[in-house]
Amino acid sequence: MERVTVVRRQEELGRAELVEVRALLDDAFADDPLSEDDWQHCQGGRHVLTREDGRLVAYAAVVERVMLLDGVPLAVGYVEGVGVRRSHHRRGLGGTVMAPIEALAGGDLAALALSTSDEGLPFYLARGWRPWPGRTYVDTSAAPHRRPQLLRTPDEDESLLVWPHGPFADVGPDSELACRARSGDDW
Ligand SMILES: CC(C)(COP(=O)(O)OP(=O)(O)OC[C@H]1O[C@@H](n2cnc3c(N)ncnc32)[C@H](O)[C@@H]1OP(=O)(O)O)[C@@H](O)C(=O)NCCC(=O)NCCS
């Protein structure tokens, strides 16, 4: 069996591959189906695809979002759409798509974050991701250059995870992280 992992920028991904990715995510998220907004959130950044003997078996995306860490803008690589074909769980494939993303931290992307599902939580914790220790907000101001209008997102305090390096190495209970509002789930 030959396992191959590639990282593609958005413009390098063809239509046929996008169709394959969508089908994989529909399989991986069968218990909690991916909405059109969730799918759109995977677009625009980098895509990691793992194939076994040519068949797509695992996928993850990372998109850049400017967030406010304690009021200061920070480019965050936000991980979306991590999914492994259900027939292929617990074979290390989740790790094969997350490792190239984690390797971007401190290089192209200053910091990494994601919002986990219940199922994903033990997987991410085992890889070294850590629960966000502070408070989360969404910025609902009309444009990025406007004065931020922050609303608390208390439910997200529980599901936001960060890669504890770079700007997220020293965060604590008083830290505040705000994302910009978007269609669908803000976080
Ligand atoms: C979460 C998911 C990506 C994990 O993929 P995977 O290929 O099965 O995970 P791996 O084989 O790389 O797991 C590595 C380690 O993570 C932990 N882990 C993974 N899944 C776990 C689970 N369901 N329960 C407990 N620990 C788990 C284990 O420590 C595992 O090591 P082990 O198998 O030697 O015990 C996969 O279950 C999935 O696609 N789930 C549905 C979609 C989803 O919820 N995605 C996350 C969105 S935030």
Side-chain angles (χ1 to χ4, degrees):
M1 187 264 294
E2 186 192 29
R3 185 183 280 187
V4 178
T5 299
V6 294
V7 181
R8 297 251 187 273
R9 290 179 183 273
Q10 186 73 38
E11 59 274 19
E12 297 169 336
L13 209 61
R15 170 147 182 79
E17 274 180 312
L18 279 171
V19 170
E20 268 185 295
V21 169
R22 180 68 213 235
L24 169 72
L25 292 179
D26 285 342
D27 176 88
F29 287 89
D31 293 342
D32 183 14
L34 213 68
S35 68
E36 182 56 26
D37 283 323
D38 296 335
W39 172 240
Q40 291 305 325
H41 294 164
C42 298
Q43 309 305 317
R46 274 172 260 213
H47 305 260
V48 187
L49 295 82
T50 297
R51 295 179 185 279
E52 283 185 355
D53 293 334
R55 186 180 188 218
L56 187 64
V57 288
Y59 170 83
V62 61
V63 295
E64 191 175 317
R65 302 181 70 188
V66 177
M67 299 193 175
L68 295 173
L69 174 59
D70 296 327
V72 178
L74 173 68
V76 175
Y78 200 66
V79 181
E80 298 275 5
V82 180
V84 172
R85 199 172 285 284
R86 278 180 297 162
S87 53
H88 287 60
H89 281 189
R90 304 302 283 269
R91 297 194 199 171
L93 285 162
T96 67
V97 287
M98 286 303 295
I101 292 177
E102 291 154 1
L104 295 172
D108 282 7
L109 297 167
L112 296 174
L114 61 83
S115 176
T116 185
S117 61
D118 291 344
E119 186 175 352
L121 184 61
F123 164 70
Y124 294 119
L125 293 179
R127 297 192 62 74
W129 288 74
R130 290 291 165 254
W132 172 251
R135 294 182 292 277
T136 59
Y137 298 80
V138 60
D139 176 9
T140 61
S141 60
H145 57 276
R146 297 269 174 84
R147 182 187 165 83
Q149 292 176 358
L150 302 185
L151 296 180
R152 279 281 283 133
T153 49
D155 291 349
E156 198 58 35
D157 294 356
E158 305 296 313
S159 45
L160 186 72
L161 302 181
V162 293
W163 188 241
H165 300 277
F168 290 151
D170 299 321
V171 289
D174 293 329
S175 300
E176 297 184 339
L177 190 65
C179 69
R180 284 198 56 76
R182 63 182 183 179
S183 177
D185 293 335
D186 293 316
W187 283 104

